[in-house]
Amino acid sequence: MVDAAPGNDAVVSASFWTRLNENRTVLGLWFMLPAAAFLIFFLAYPLGLGMWLSLTDAKIGRAGEFIGFENFTWLWGDSVFWLSVFNTLLYTVVASVIKFAIGLYLALLLNNNIAFKAFIRAIVLLPFIVPTVLSAIAFWWIFDSQFSILSWALIELGIIDQNIDFLGTPNNARASVIFANIWRGVPFVAITLLAGLQTVPQSLYEAATIDGASKWDMFRHITYPLLTPIIAVVMTFSVLFTFTDFQLIYAMTRGGPVNATHLMATLSYQRAILGGNLGEGAAISTAMIPFLLSAIMFSWFGLQRRKWQQGESDD
Amino acid sequence: MASVEIRDVRKSFGPVEVVHGVDISIGDGEFVILVGPSGCGKSTLLRMIAGLEKITSGEVSIGGRVVNQMPPKERDIAMVFQNYALYPHMTVSENMAFSLRLRRTEKALVTERVHIAAEILGLMPLLDRFPRQLSGGQRQRVAMGRAIVRDPQVFLFDEPLSNLDAKLRVQMRTEIKELHQRLRTTTVYVTHDQIEAMTMADKIVVMHDGIVEQIGAPLELYDNPANRFVAGFIGSPAMNFMSGQIQGVNGTAVLRTDGGIDLPLQAAPAASDGRPAVYGVRPEHFILSDEGAEASVVVVEPTGSEIQVVADMGGAHIVAVFRERHDLKPGQKICLQPNPELVHLFDSDNGQRL
């Protein structure tokens, strides 16, 4: 009798442990653990730390104290911050719209049977493969005030008679960095949309041909609607990448001239790391979150399975 | 409605010619089926009629107009595809109305035409569904509805039933035939299934390797196949072929098979003694009797309505079908008597009927 009690206990606890592990919910949590740990350490922790820093007056080399929303109130009255918000929005909207237009055009072009198709597709991908900093430096040279190949070519052609100051005046600089961003971003949009185009069955175009559709009708009524789910994905990513862009700007202009090309990301870096005001820089970064969230919400609704996508497959 | 004339039509893909000069004349309101094994050029021919494929040489005319250079939309045809090709993002009624909408037809008229077609096909309750929410048979019907709405001169069907299960296929077969009897629109229908061809067609065109082997009414092809290919392709189970030599025995002509078995002939072709030939007899034209060609049973396959017997006759496997329920065992010796009136004789070299 006396011996039996601990033995019984062992049986009960073992079976509880086993039962726990056979529970579907618990098992599910177990399986999620590695991925969740990864996400917490590498995404949630830095994000949380950044948000916490934005509420402190931390400086490099000195742990900050909680100061509430003081950083944000300060930024509210900072014209450079508002300029960077304007720049970021301009940069994102203009670059994304043009990237979409050119990318879609290229995708439609590459979806046709053209000579050297594989070769041309490979070439289109090139800007995407080159490291951003490398292409930024190349653009820096192309847009250089003295040695610009563009200015040189235009002068040789007799179109202009003195060098264009691409990166030296605010609007020229904005146009130049947007151009570089478009150059770099088009391949991603084009290749992804091309992949989307290839999922549209050929027989739909044949059916439409017989129904009497012109090329434009086919694009308008078949290609475009069937491509919308992919467009939503591509444009969400494109907007997020563009909004948070840092490398291109930092390598080409460092935000100048007179902050004309400062994006929120570059301004945040300048204030936090170079200026040493970690709290203020973190606040600028945190201020990006509402914009990014709204972009994600937008695509969340755009990405929801449309009614026609529900149900079984098409064939 | 219109007639369709196909004159010496050829099609090459690069250096490879896949359709070698086809002539078919399709009468107004006729239901014509192009049938043949895969790769015989039947779908290519249909796509040339539709205008989806360029005609390399020859002429296709619809309703008296040569359409070679005409884009599909001006040919006044409608096509039903094997995979239905329904627009996945449009509802059933939008799918059906699409061609009319493109032609800027008045809205009220579009609705009316769609409703008429939906009524005919029993699609009224499904008009607001999307293709993904339909079963295979329903999608098939929508594809036909899309064709009917346009009220074209010619319907083209490209293997429309091959994605359906066997039971539904039989049902849709009847529906399509019924539809044709009701609308009387000239129809060209492509299939590889000879049963579909036999059951539905007014006229069958048997194609093989890019040429037309024979054109005729279903029973005409069944009774008088022009060559060995048609004889073997039409009819299920397929016709039995045995090669041998024609010989006169006791004043009557027989075919002595390579296995040494004498098979009766009604009348030998003139001066044919000793001539090699192929003897063709359909499984259903054997009679189980006390005399005739000896064979031993290999397999017995009852289907309920009939029994199929696979037997070894002089080294060749032949199939016989009986409607009576004979009690046969594997290995059993039987005597099979072909009905000499229903026997076919083919040239052993070129396969033409003798």
Side-chain angles (χ1 to χ4, degrees):
Chain A
M1 280 301 282
V2 179
D3 284 337
N8 251 349
D9 251 351
V11 168
V12 168
S13 70
S15 75
F16 174 73
W17 180 240
T18 319
R19 257 188 302 135
L20 192 68
N21 276 326
E22 276 168 4
N23 183 312
R24 292 179 67 88
T25 322
V26 175
L27 264 182
L29 288 173
W30 266 120
F31 286 135
M32 269 166 55
L33 192 65
F38 213 77
L39 288 177
I40 288 166
F41 279 119
F42 293 104
L43 286 175
Y45 171 68
L47 185 69
L49 183 64
M51 285 165 81
W52 164 249
L53 280 175
S54 73
L55 302 175
T56 68
D57 60 355
K59 294 207 186 316
I60 289 185
R62 194 197 78 186
E65 277 174 25
F66 181 78
I67 52 166
F69 288 96
E70 212 170 289
N71 281 326
F72 293 95
T73 8
W74 157 251
L75 284 176
W76 190 264
D78 178 6
S79 63
V80 176
F81 169 72
W82 286 112
L83 182 65
S84 80
V85 172
F86 167 77
N87 287 338
T88 311
L89 289 175
L90 180 82
Y91 187 73
T92 307
V93 170
V94 174
S96 295
V97 167
I98 298 179
K99 275 190 274 193
F100 173 64
I102 299 179
L104 182 60
Y105 174 75
L106 270 181
L108 291 170
L109 210 63
L110 290 175
N111 198 32
N112 289 328
N113 279 318
I114 47 171
F116 307 112
K117 190 154 77 176
F119 182 66
I120 295 173
R121 281 183 192 174
I123 287 194
V124 166
L125 263 181
L126 267 182
F128 196 56
I129 318 171
V130 180
T132 311
V133 174
L134 201 63
S135 49
I137 290 171
F139 271 107
W140 185 40
W141 266 105
I142 289 171
F143 292 134
D144 188 87
S145 54
Q146 281 186 53
F147 307 110
S148 164
I149 188 172
L150 285 179
S151 296
W152 175 81
L154 291 172
I155 288 170
E156 290 292 305
L157 287 168
I159 295 170
I160 53 171
D161 35 52
Q162 63 182 57
N163 277 0
I164 302 174
D165 194 2
F166 284 107
L167 301 177
T169 59
N171 282 338
N172 277 359
R174 284 181 182 137
S176 300
V177 291
I178 288 175
F179 181 87
N181 180 278
I182 291 168
W183 179 84
R184 197 181 141 63
V186 157
F188 170 70
V189 178
I191 295 295
T192 321
L193 290 183
L194 178 62
L197 282 177
Q198 287 175 343
T199 62
V200 180
Q202 200 55 37
S203 62
L204 292 187
Y205 293 114
E206 290 183 346
T209 308
I210 288 184
D211 276 344
S214 63
K215 285 261 175 220
W216 168 247
D217 289 329
M218 284 192 212
F219 176 77
R220 166 84 190 67
H221 297 293
I222 295 170
T223 311
Y224 181 73
L226 291 180
L227 213 53
T228 44
I230 304 233
I231 290 176
V233 179
V234 175
M235 288 324 290
T236 304
F237 277 102
S238 181
V239 165
L240 293 184
F241 290 155
T242 315
F243 196 90
T244 56
D245 198 9
F246 174 85
Q247 292 187 72
L248 259 183
I249 302 288
Y250 206 74
M252 282 174 73
T253 64
R254 312 236 154 167
V258 282
N259 301 323
T261 58
H262 248 317
L263 302 186
M264 291 166 86
T266 53
L267 188 69
S268 160
Y269 176 76
Q270 198 192 41
R271 297 258 165 104
I273 309 297
L274 303 180
N277 294 317
L278 284 178
E280 193 188 329
I284 298 174
S285 288
T286 308
M288 294 166 80
I289 293 176
F291 293 101
L292 296 174
L293 268 186
S294 59
I296 291 170
M297 290 310 283
F298 186 76
S299 73
W300 168 262
F301 291 109
L303 275 176
Q304 278 188 336
R305 277 167 81 79
R306 285 153 184 75
K307 209 172 161 209
W308 57 265
Q309 289 178 298
Q310 283 156 9
E312 287 173 66
S313 72
D314 299 320
D315 29 52
Chain B
M1 281 180 275
S3 58
V4 177
E5 290 291 332
I6 297 166
R7 276 183 293 272
D8 195 28
V9 163
R10 289 166 189 278
K11 174 70 191 179
S12 308
F13 291 106
V16 187
E17 194 176 79
V18 292
V19 176
H20 315 287
V22 165
D23 293 272
I24 303 170
S25 141
I26 297 163
D28 192 2
E30 227 173 359
F31 196 121
V32 172
I33 293 191
L34 309 179
V35 67
S38 29
C40 72
K42 55 193 190 302
S43 280
T44 310
L45 189 61
L46 190 80
R47 291 166 61 84
M48 285 194 280
I49 301 174
L52 294 173
E53 213 70 77
K54 270 186 85 140
I55 299 163
T56 308
S57 78
E59 210 175 78
V60 171
S61 62
I62 297 173
R65 297 178 305 163
V66 177
V67 296
N68 284 34
Q69 302 302 326
M70 225 180 249
K73 64 173 173 180
E74 285 167 33
R75 297 187 182 199
D76 205 1
I77 43 120
M79 187 157 168
V80 175
F81 292 83
Q82 178 174 356
N83 61 359
Y84 323 130
L86 300 179
Y87 310 120
H89 56 294
M90 299 185 196
T91 61
V92 167
S93 69
E94 284 166 349
N95 260 286
M96 284 161 68
F98 187 59
S99 63
L100 298 178
R101 253 176 70 207
L102 288 175
R103 279 187 267 171
R104 314 240 178 288
T105 313
E106 220 183 300
K107 265 216 172 102
L109 187 64
V110 173
T111 319
E112 188 193 318
R113 297 266 286 271
V114 168
H115 280 206
I116 291 172
E119 202 76 68
I120 293 175
L121 294 163
L123 290 171
M124 282 310 271
L126 306 175
L127 282 180
D128 292 325
R129 296 231 195 139
F130 287 99
R132 279 188 181 231
Q133 299 163 326
L134 302 177
S135 69
Q138 290 168 334
R139 287 177 199 181
Q140 180 59 56
R141 254 183 247 137
V142 177
M144 289 199 290
R146 198 162 63 172
I148 295 173
V149 162
R150 303 185 47 196
D151 190 22
Q153 303 224 25
V154 182
F155 280 140
L156 304 175
F157 289 87
D158 189 5
E159 308 224 10
L161 304 184
S162 35
N163 282 11
L164 301 178
D165 63 53
K167 196 173 170 191
L168 203 52
R169 203 177 300 164
V170 174
Q171 186 193 329
M172 291 305 290
R173 216 156 72 190
T174 319
E175 276 187 36
I176 294 179
K177 194 167 181 177
E178 216 179 281
L179 191 70
H180 177 254
Q181 284 166 358
R182 184 165 168 178
L183 301 173
R184 285 275 150 223
T185 305
T186 312
T187 302
V188 186
Y189 184 111
V190 161
T191 178
H192 60 265
D193 180 353
Q194 56 92 20
I195 302 238
E196 257 173 53
M198 291 297 282
T199 49
M200 296 165 76
D202 291 328
K203 188 155 89 184
I204 296 179
V205 177
V206 183
M207 291 186 69
H208 181 220
D209 284 345
I211 58 161
V212 171
E213 294 279 0
Q214 192 175 0
I215 302 179
L219 293 182
E220 196 181 313
L221 297 191
Y222 181 84
D223 293 335
N224 297 304
N227 53 49
R228 200 179 149 171
F229 176 79
V230 177
F233 193 77
I234 300 288
S236 170
M239 186 185 281
N240 298 296
F241 294 108
M242 283 158 281
S243 52
Q245 288 181 337
I246 300 169
Q247 293 194 333
V249 176
N250 305 332
T252 57
V254 296
L255 182 120
R256 179 158 296 161
T257 68
D258 299 339
I261 289 172
D262 283 350
L263 297 164
L265 289 171
Q266 193 175 28
S272 58
D273 208 22
R275 175 176 179 169
V278 175
Y279 189 91
V281 57
R282 295 198 181 278
E284 52 273 35
H285 297 155
F286 278 114
I287 302 159
L288 196 61
S289 65
D290 300 332
E291 54 179 14
E294 272 189 20
S296 68
V297 176
V298 179
V299 173
V300 181
E301 299 169 336
T303 63
S305 62
E306 55 189 31
I307 51 170
Q308 282 184 26
V309 178
V310 181
D312 184 313
M313 184 185 277
H317 270 199
I318 57 126
V319 178
V321 168
F322 306 109
R323 298 203 58 91
E324 309 82 30
R325 295 199 172 172
H326 299 295
D327 186 25
L328 298 171
K329 299 268 177 301
Q332 190 179 342
K333 295 271 182 251
I334 52 172
C335 281
L336 293 171
Q337 180 89 52
N339 183 344
E341 285 173 29
L342 300 173
V343 151
H344 309 270
L345 212 51
F346 303 100
D347 189 290
S348 58
D349 295 325
N350 60 20
Q352 291 304 308
R353 184 186 188 83
L354 291 177

